[in-house]
Amino acid sequence: MAMARASSGLAYPERFYAAASYSGFDGSSAVTSKFSNDVALLLYALHQQATVGPCNISKPRGWSPVEQSKWASWHGLGNMASTEAMRLFVKILEEEDPGWYSRVPNGVAEPVTDVEVNTITKVDPIVENGIYAPETKSVYTENGIPSETQDKDVVSEGLGLVAVYDQWIGPSVSGQKPKPRYEHGAAVIGDKMYMYAGNHNGRYLGDIHMLDLRSWSWSKIETKQQDKTTESQSSRSSTACAGHSLIAWGNKLLSIAGHTKDPSDAIQVRELDLLTNIWSTVKTYGKPPVSRGGQSATLVGSTLVIFGGQDAKRALLNDLHILDLETMTWDEFDAVGVPPSPRSDHAAAVHAERYLLIFGGGSHASCFNDLHVLDLQTMEWSRPIQQGQIPTPRAGHAGVTVGENWFIVGGGNNKSGVSETVVLNMSTLVWSVVTTVEGRVPVASEGLSLVVGSYDGEDILVTFGGYNGRYNNEVNVLKPSHKSTLPAKSLEAVPDSVSAMVNPTNATRDVESELEAVQDGIIREITVDDVDQGLKPLRNSKPKGSGGILGTLKAEKEELESLLSKERLTSVKLKQDLSEAEARNTDLYEELQSVRGQLAAEQSRCFKLEVDVAELRQKLQTMESMQKELELLQRQKAASEQAEMMARQRQKNSGGMWTWITGSPPGQTKEEI
């Protein structure tokens, strides 16, 4: 990274206009002659956003490919504020050409101070319309040193120096190191740390590596893909992603969500079986959340609590979802109270298996240092008062818990990198600083991973990777002196923890006094043992006055383990019942389909019968009409016959009269006479 001058310089927007003029947006020179095509497109989009505003013009037909790319790049910025576009324009220019201001025609001379500033511009790849639309966050580390020089606060030695507490150590590792990256995932199973995927130079990675925490040697794991619908396997590389969550679950690794080149509509859950090294997509039930990256995924018992993140369209989220890892069923919860504002790249932890803590994170233009607590029993959000040395705003940091202590490492904001490692006592909500580093070192990076391992029977913090102006692939180790005074999963300690969560100013004096007595007894015995026969492991010490407390806690632990065993048996039985119910549902569905087919055939036959009945009714109506006509004809015939008979009768009667007149007998003719 080239050195830049720390100066007062021009204020915005004059500094932006000077940068735009230097870049050629005043028409003095071609922009593409100074920058690559991707950078030139991004600068054009930011310049339009800063000077014109959001892209409201439609995309007409007949444009050239260049104009289409310019429109897509501008349109991809959405409703970004003009001031933010100006700031990002200048930051990208300073990354591409750190000495640009000194070459601005008629530029204003800047007073130079004796401060070395390493300008770090991080570009997050976000694919929109086939074009990467970077989101830029800047970090400055004053009094920085070249990346090739080891910082004085990070000792690069073997693990013999792990005996030193609260100091970051760069151990000597063997094997082929993974490619430098950030926004990857890491998880520990046994004495092995697994690291998967990430982002390097705007490209998503899909490889997985294993670090042996005993021999401190790297090895790459060759995996295969399996399609559960066809039961087929392929040797193609696993899905490349970044901003995902990697969770250890039994002898498997679960990869939750994450940004990909071709994002899906909903969160995808994939698992790696470490016995077969086969990746497969897990079938889930319920309504899955929208796809995202930069979310937090916190394991609480056998459930996974998902909060926040950023979707594929760069929209920030603050929704809450829970995935039951036993049944792989999604549930969405609407908690009461005021939730954290939409954010990504935050940290989350669980305390006493009941309280979900959310710290920090960032939006598109700012970072946070607020602390929010969700009671997972009442599903109510609260924002307790923080005490002690409250950390500065940050995003991209990492966190792990050791007992009731929550360690936060790395991260950054728009002004400076975060150099201090801090710890929060989740029972009292008091912050304290563990150690501070100077210069551009991996532990002061964004997007690094942090896990808890074990060395010589003690907990150690292990970091890998990150981005601080360059992509890192270094491993750093710290042995914390902060020890847990209560079991992290002791549910009987919840009431006192609740007091601290709801009102941190009202400390639980009774519990604190008991803990002080226990700690005092521990310290006294350690001191005596150290004088007489050397330091003994803490677990073997018997502090004065603590037998009752420890006995109670042990009994409660055994009771909880018994309850847990019963719950597991119940869970197994429920899974069996669920399988049987699914089998019955399959049979019923097939029977339903058969009945539907029969019903369709009956409906067709009924339709034909209705047609026949209609035809018969029509014929019947015709026969009735013909019957009426026949009756009419019969009546007419009868009338005609009757008329004819009457006519004959009249004729017969009229013949007798003439016979009487003529004197002829009836029936005798005239000739006979």
Side-chain angles (χ1 to χ4, degrees):
M1 179 65 65
M3 284 291 182
R5 296 179 301 163
S7 58
S8 58
L10 290 175
Y12 288 94
E14 287 78 10
R15 191 173 184 86
F16 162 74
Y17 292 129
S21 175
Y22 173 79
S23 302
F25 285 94
D26 60 352
S28 60
S29 61
V31 178
T32 55
S33 63
K34 296 182 178 180
F35 309 102
S36 64
N37 291 336
D38 292 341
V39 175
L41 275 177
L42 180 57
L43 290 176
Y44 165 80
L46 291 171
H47 182 268
Q48 291 294 102
Q49 192 82 5
T51 57
V52 179
C55 179
N56 295 321
I57 62 175
S58 59
K59 183 180 180 181
R61 299 180 180 178
W63 279 10
S64 67
V66 174
E67 293 298 325
Q68 290 181 2
S69 298
K70 291 167 67 175
W71 180 89
S73 183
W74 181 17
H75 186 266
L77 297 180
N79 295 321
M80 179 183 290
S82 174
T83 54
E84 179 68 9
M86 291 182 180
R87 186 183 67 81
L88 294 181
F89 185 98
V90 174
K91 297 307 178 187
I92 292 175
L93 176 60
E94 288 177 348
E95 181 191 34
E96 297 294 323
D97 190 353
W100 70 272
Y101 191 81
S102 62
R103 294 188 290 275
V104 174
N106 300 322
V108 179
E110 295 183 343
V112 180
T113 62
D114 294 329
V115 179
E116 294 178 348
V117 179
N118 294 329
T119 304
I120 303 167
T121 306
K122 182 186 79 173
V123 181
D124 295 333
I126 299 174
V127 180
E128 294 186 5
N129 301 322
I131 297 177
Y132 282 99
E135 175 187 350
T136 308
K137 295 182 182 179
S138 300
V139 178
Y140 306 91
T141 53
E142 296 187 355
N143 299 324
I145 59 175
S147 59
E148 293 79 9
T149 305
Q150 181 66 41
D151 188 86
K152 66 179 182 179
D153 292 319
V154 179
V155 181
S156 181
E157 294 284 352
L159 286 181
L161 291 180
V162 176
V164 179
Y165 288 98
D166 299 335
Q167 182 175 357
W168 285 107
I169 296 170
S172 298
V173 296
S174 59
Q176 183 178 0
K177 290 184 178 181
K179 193 172 187 177
R181 67 193 68 200
Y182 80 118
E183 291 188 341
H184 51 280
V188 170
I189 297 181
D191 51 10
K192 295 178 175 60
M193 182 185 80
Y194 296 89
M195 188 279 303
Y196 168 60
N199 177 7
H200 176 81
N201 285 339
R203 291 183 176 273
Y204 297 127
L205 305 176
D207 52 345
I208 182 167
H209 299 259
M210 184 270 291
L211 176 65
D212 192 317
L213 299 180
R214 294 176 302 176
S215 62
W216 297 94
S217 60
W218 281 108
S219 59
K220 185 177 181 180
I221 300 177
E222 299 297 336
T223 61
K224 294 182 179 180
Q225 294 273 15
Q226 180 177 15
D227 187 349
K228 284 194 172 182
T229 59
T230 61
E231 298 297 332
S232 61
Q233 298 178 9
S234 64
S235 58
R236 61 186 177 90
S237 60
S238 56
T239 303
C241 59
H244 54 290
S245 302
L246 193 66
I247 306 297
W249 182 244
N251 60 348
K252 298 179 180 180
L253 293 175
L254 300 180
S255 177
I256 314 292
H259 294 300
T260 59
K261 185 177 181 181
D262 300 313
S264 58
D265 294 332
I267 282 183
Q268 297 293 316
V269 180
R270 294 178 300 110
E271 68 176 17
L272 174 63
D273 190 329
L274 295 175
L275 299 178
T276 61
N277 292 339
I278 295 178
W279 280 105
S280 59
T281 300
V282 179
K283 180 181 179 181
T284 59
Y285 303 90
K287 183 180 179 181
V290 66
S291 63
R292 66 193 66 196
Q295 72 289 331
S296 61
T298 310
L299 188 62
V300 184
S302 61
T303 60
L304 203 59
V305 183
I306 309 293
F307 174 78
Q310 186 180 53
D311 67 15
K313 297 181 180 179
R314 302 181 68 225
L316 294 168
L317 307 168
N318 66 341
D319 51 348
L320 184 69
H321 299 266
I322 293 181
L323 175 63
D324 189 329
L325 298 181
E326 296 286 351
T327 62
M328 286 296 170
T329 303
W330 285 104
D331 285 314
E332 181 177 6
F333 287 88
D334 294 326
V336 298
V338 180
S341 60
R343 66 191 63 199
S344 65
D345 299 328
H346 51 278
V350 63
H351 175 54
E353 296 291 322
R354 175 173 176 177
Y355 301 98
L356 178 71
L357 287 77
I358 303 292
F359 171 73
S363 63
H364 293 306
S366 59
C367 298
F368 311 114
N369 67 337
D370 49 353
L371 179 66
H372 297 262
V373 177
L374 173 66
D375 189 329
L376 296 174
Q377 289 187 7
T378 63
M379 297 306 294
E380 180 177 2
W381 285 106
S382 62
R383 187 172 178 179
I385 300 174
Q386 304 179 66
Q387 301 184 66
Q389 298 171 289
I390 300 176
T392 57
R394 66 196 66 196
H397 48 288
V400 293
T401 59
V402 179
E404 69 269 19
N405 297 311
W406 187 18
F407 293 88
I408 302 293
V409 180
N413 53 38
N414 291 327
K415 295 182 180 180
S416 62
V418 178
S419 58
E420 71 269 15
T421 298
V422 297
V423 61
L424 173 69
N425 186 305
M426 294 184 289
S427 296
T428 61
L429 296 182
V430 177
W431 288 99
S432 57
V433 176
V434 178
T435 186
T436 302
V437 297
E438 296 181 1
R440 193 176 66 190
V441 294
V443 293
S445 300
E446 296 184 43
L448 76 169
S449 62
L450 176 65
V451 298
V452 178
S454 177
Y455 182 77
D456 281 349
E458 292 192 273
D459 294 322
I460 57 173
L461 310 184
V462 183
T463 68
F464 172 77
Y467 181 88
N468 59 358
R470 66 182 182 92
Y471 296 91
N472 299 304
N473 63 348
E474 303 297 327
V475 175
N476 288 285
V477 180
L478 180 142
K479 183 167 68 171
S481 61
H482 295 72
K483 303 299 179 183
S484 175
T485 55
L486 287 176
K489 299 184 180 181
S490 176
L491 297 181
E492 294 300 322
V494 166
D496 295 326
S497 300
V498 173
S499 277
M501 292 292 181
V502 177
N503 187 4
T505 58
N506 295 331
T508 54
R509 293 190 177 93
D510 294 338
V511 173
E512 287 181 351
S513 61
E514 290 179 357
L515 295 179
E516 288 175 0
V518 173
Q519 292 172 345
D520 181 64
I522 293 173
I523 293 173
R524 289 179 181 177
E525 181 163 353
I526 288 177
T527 304
V528 172
D529 290 343
D530 190 33
V531 173
D532 295 339
Q533 56 185 9
L535 183 62
K536 292 184 178 179
L538 183 60
R539 60 179 178 270
N540 293 331
S541 58
K542 303 290 183 179
K544 298 179 180 179
S546 64
I549 297 177
L550 294 179
T552 302
L553 293 177
K554 184 176 181 180
E556 292 171 353
K557 178 183 177 183
E558 293 176 352
E559 182 180 357
L560 290 175
E561 289 177 347
S562 176
L563 292 175
L564 181 59
S565 299
K566 293 180 181 178
E567 291 296 330
R568 286 177 176 172
L569 291 175
T570 304
S571 178
V572 171
K573 185 177 182 302
L574 289 176
K575 290 180 68 175
Q576 293 176 350
D577 294 341
L578 179 61
S579 300
E580 294 175 357
E582 289 178 348
R584 288 196 300 270
N585 288 340
T586 302
D587 296 338
L588 290 174
Y589 180 76
E590 293 177 354
E591 185 177 352
L592 177 62
Q593 292 297 102
S594 176
V595 172
R596 285 178 175 174
Q598 296 175 5
L599 179 60
E602 291 296 329
Q603 288 178 340
S604 177
R605 191 172 67 174
C606 288
F607 177 74
K608 292 180 180 179
L609 290 175
E610 288 177 356
V611 172
D612 294 340
V613 169
E615 292 178 352
L616 291 174
R617 285 178 178 174
Q618 187 176 4
K619 291 179 180 180
L620 181 61
Q621 291 177 355
T622 303
M623 292 179 65
E624 290 177 353
S625 177
M626 293 176 64
Q627 181 69 27
K628 290 179 181 179
E629 291 179 0
L630 179 61
E631 291 176 355
L632 178 61
L633 290 174
Q634 288 176 347
R635 287 196 298 269
Q636 290 177 353
K637 180 181 177 183
S640 176
E641 290 177 350
Q642 185 177 2
E644 184 180 359
M645 290 177 62
M646 292 178 65
R648 288 179 181 178
Q649 186 68 31
R650 284 195 301 268
Q651 183 179 7
K652 184 178 180 181
N653 294 336
S654 61
M657 180 63 67
W658 284 108
T659 302
W660 180 78
I661 294 173
T662 58
S664 299
Q668 188 178 10
T669 63
K670 185 176 180 180
E671 289 79 6
E672 292 177 350
I673 296 175

